[in-house]
Amino acid sequence: MGLRIGVDIGGSFTDFAVFNEDTGKLQSLKVFSRPDEPGQEVLLGLQELSSRYGISPADISYFTHGTTVGVNAVVQKKGAKLGLITNRYFEDVLALGRLKTPDMYSLHSLRPEPLIAREHVFGIDGRLDAAGNELTAIDYESVKLVIEGLLRSGCEGVVISLLHAYRNPQHEHQVKTIIQDRIPGFFVCCSSDVWPTIREFERTQTAVISAYVQPRVSHYGRASAGIESGGRQC
């Protein structure tokens, strides 16, 4: 027997739809969502499907689900407390963005506050050109000062987004290695590993969002798999 199960996790309820590929029969189930323990509603729902319809995991040929864990972390501002490392003099990359406002005809139109506060953005010395060739090597001492600033600010992790890293990720990876050597286990995310594309703001913003939601999404994934602990990766 081949069963296809789809799960939609909402704020209040989680809906299961079970389709039997052999008979064409469709069954449904609704359980309470668990925002306090994301992932538990999936396990509880599968247990309920087993007791109510006699469905065992071995019968499932396809399983998919959608969740708003990541989106909720951004909307509710409950993500990780992050720092951001840029090239020196490019520390305002998130604040400036594309200088667009939500409503170009309103003088009171405001953009959302960046997910990383300006005081947690640090510039370092070192530069690549537009082709990815090294103009100035990464300055080790400036990275050491940034590490001190990250620890002093109580940051839980850091995003590294340097100029032209989409062409050559070497500088970002060098900085990551320095940080991990001095702070073993500290969460470090390189923009070139997340979305290596041209345009600094878009690449930086994407990496920041990825790192910001990562702890909650990671916890959700572990909870869904029945794993109590695990490391974070970007």
Side-chain angles (χ1 to χ4, degrees):
M1 178 172 64
L3 298 178
R4 298 172 66 88
I5 296 182
V7 185
D8 177 29
I9 302 176
S12 300
F13 298 98
T14 294
D15 296 294
F16 288 73
V18 183
F19 178 70
N20 189 313
E21 296 178 306
D22 299 327
T23 65
K25 184 178 181 180
L26 184 66
Q27 297 169 302
S28 62
L29 173 71
K30 185 185 291 286
V31 299
F32 285 109
S33 294
R34 290 288 305 274
D36 58 325
E37 284 292 333
Q40 289 301 308
E41 60 273 278
V42 176
L43 300 179
L44 293 173
L46 290 174
Q47 292 172 4
E48 183 64 23
L49 287 174
S50 177
S51 62
R52 183 179 300 187
Y53 300 122
I55 296 173
S56 70
D59 299 327
I60 302 173
S61 61
Y62 178 84
F63 181 89
T64 185
H65 82 292
T67 177
T68 58
V69 169
V71 173
N72 290 345
V74 175
V75 173
Q76 298 170 0
K77 297 295 180 69
K78 291 184 177 181
K81 183 178 180 181
L82 299 171
L84 172 64
I85 296 176
T86 70
N87 295 91
R88 194 175 302 282
Y89 309 123
F90 285 82
E91 294 92 335
D92 292 311
V93 59
L94 291 180
L96 292 176
R98 287 292 166 197
L99 295 179
K100 294 180 180 179
T101 59
D103 184 354
M104 63 183 295
Y105 299 108
S106 173
L107 296 177
H108 303 289
S109 180
L110 297 174
R111 287 177 294 169
E113 289 293 322
L115 295 177
I116 298 180
R118 179 60 180 81
E119 59 267 26
H120 298 155
V121 182
F122 306 90
I124 61 171
D125 295 313
R127 183 71 68 88
L128 301 175
D129 65 15
N133 301 312
E134 185 175 79
L135 296 176
T136 307
I138 292 295
D139 180 67
Y140 184 79
E141 293 301 319
S142 66
V143 178
K144 285 174 56 180
L145 291 175
V146 167
I147 292 174
E148 294 173 5
L150 291 170
L151 295 176
R152 188 167 55 249
S153 301
C155 291
E156 301 168 335
V158 65
V159 175
I160 306 170
S161 185
L162 303 178
L163 289 172
H164 313 303
Y166 70 96
R167 290 282 194 190
N168 182 358
Q170 178 183 358
H171 275 191
E172 288 193 351
H173 291 166
Q174 284 180 3
V175 175
K176 179 177 181 178
T177 298
I178 295 171
I179 295 173
Q180 291 183 329
D181 285 345
R182 295 184 66 87
I183 323 176
F186 195 71
F187 178 59
V188 184
C189 181
C190 295
S191 71
S192 55
D193 294 334
V194 177
W195 198 42
T197 188
I198 193 171
R199 294 188 181 278
E200 266 57 54
F201 170 68
E202 287 80 0
R203 177 161 48 85
T204 302
Q205 182 78 307
T206 302
V208 166
I209 293 174
S210 174
Y212 187 78
V213 305
Q214 203 274 346
R216 280 181 169 259
V217 173
S218 179
H219 171 74
Y220 168 77
R222 295 196 302 270
S224 298
I227 301 172
E228 294 299 326
S229 63
R232 294 192 294 161
Q233 298 180 355
C234 184

